[in-house]
Amino acid sequence: MVSPKDQQLAWVRAILAHLGGISANELAQRAKIAPSTIQRPLNEPDWPNALSGTTMAKIAAVAGLQPLEFPPRSGGLGEPEATPFQYDQDANAIGSNLDRAVRELCRGRNGRDPWVMRSRMLEMSGILPGDILIVDLNLQPRPKDIVCAQMYQWPLMKAETVFRVYEPPYLLTNSGSTSRPVPVDDQDVIIRGVVDGLIRPRQ
């Protein structure tokens, strides 16, 4: 279950991305609050305090939104929700450190696939566009797991890979959107695996 504090932090990260990938320090300056008010909850996992209502209101005002109102999804209608992670062919490339981290999480275990999240469908679970999700194809999904699923359109011979929260027997988004639950029927909607790892590249 996502805690209120985790929802707040997911919302703040979405605001940072929405404003062009600005830093927490810049957001604090725009909102006229102390930088540590935002930085400490974001950077210290054990930080006990949630953001106050006043702080949330100031951050929301900077973004032109209401508190806990997530920015609209970006991108065109034809863009996928997630894409397979592409490894660099050049071991000396700038992204090679990221490649090594992904390989390390996948090494030694069969059936582990890395994917790059492109949508905001799970932003209230703290998953944002650009996050790399490690999917274990051998795990059995449990309630509230984040899963990788395929939705088939058989007449069009198309399949879409999506990431959702599993609440048997449905798949749910977690973005504050009005998307309807999708039943898992193992024919048109099939769960491929369970997310059990996440890497957030440095912006």
Side-chain angles (χ1 to χ4, degrees), residues 4-107:
K5 178 187 169 186
D6 288 338
Q7 290 184 14
Q8 284 186 342
L9 297 182
W11 177 71
V12 170
R13 292 188 179 100
I15 295 298
L16 294 173
H18 176 64
L19 295 176
I22 66 173
S23 67
N25 186 60
E26 184 173 347
L27 177 59
Q29 290 178 347
R30 294 188 190 184
K32 295 180 171 55
I33 56 181
S36 61
T37 304
I38 300 176
Q39 289 173 344
R40 297 193 73 172
L42 286 176
N43 298 325
E44 299 179 22
D46 296 329
W47 183 251
N49 302 323
L51 300 176
S52 69
T54 300
T55 296
M56 295 282 288
K58 289 182 177 180
I59 293 173
V62 170
L65 301 167
Q66 296 297 316
L68 285 182
E69 177 188 357
F70 281 82
R73 289 183 61 187
S74 59
L77 292 175
E79 294 183 359
E81 288 189 18
T83 56
F85 177 80
Q86 299 295 322
Y87 292 99
D88 275 323
Q89 298 302 313
D90 181 1
N92 296 317
I94 294 175
S96 61
N97 287 338
L98 179 61
D99 282 9
R100 283 195 290 270
V102 174
R103 292 181 193 277
E104 190 65 29
L105 282 176
C106 295
R107 186 176 62 180

Side-chain angles (χ1 to χ4, degrees), residues 90-154:
D90 181 1
N92 296 317
I94 294 175
S96 61
N97 287 338
L98 179 61
D99 282 9
R100 283 195 290 270
V102 174
R103 292 181 193 277
E104 190 65 29
L105 282 176
C106 295
R107 186 176 62 180
R109 292 175 62 183
N110 293 327
R112 287 170 69 83
D113 287 343
W115 286 77
V116 180
M117 191 67 171
R118 302 295 185 190
S119 80
R120 296 186 177 279
M121 289 303 218
L122 294 173
E123 56 195 350
M124 291 187 74
S125 291
I127 296 177
L128 300 177
D131 286 352
I132 299 168
L133 307 178
I134 308 300
V135 177
D136 192 318
L137 305 178
N138 297 316
L139 289 178
Q140 291 298 314
R142 297 177 297 186
K144 304 189 185 309
D145 275 346
I146 294 173
V147 300
C148 175
Q150 285 190 317
M151 298 184 180
Y152 292 92
Q153 301 179 52
W154 296 111

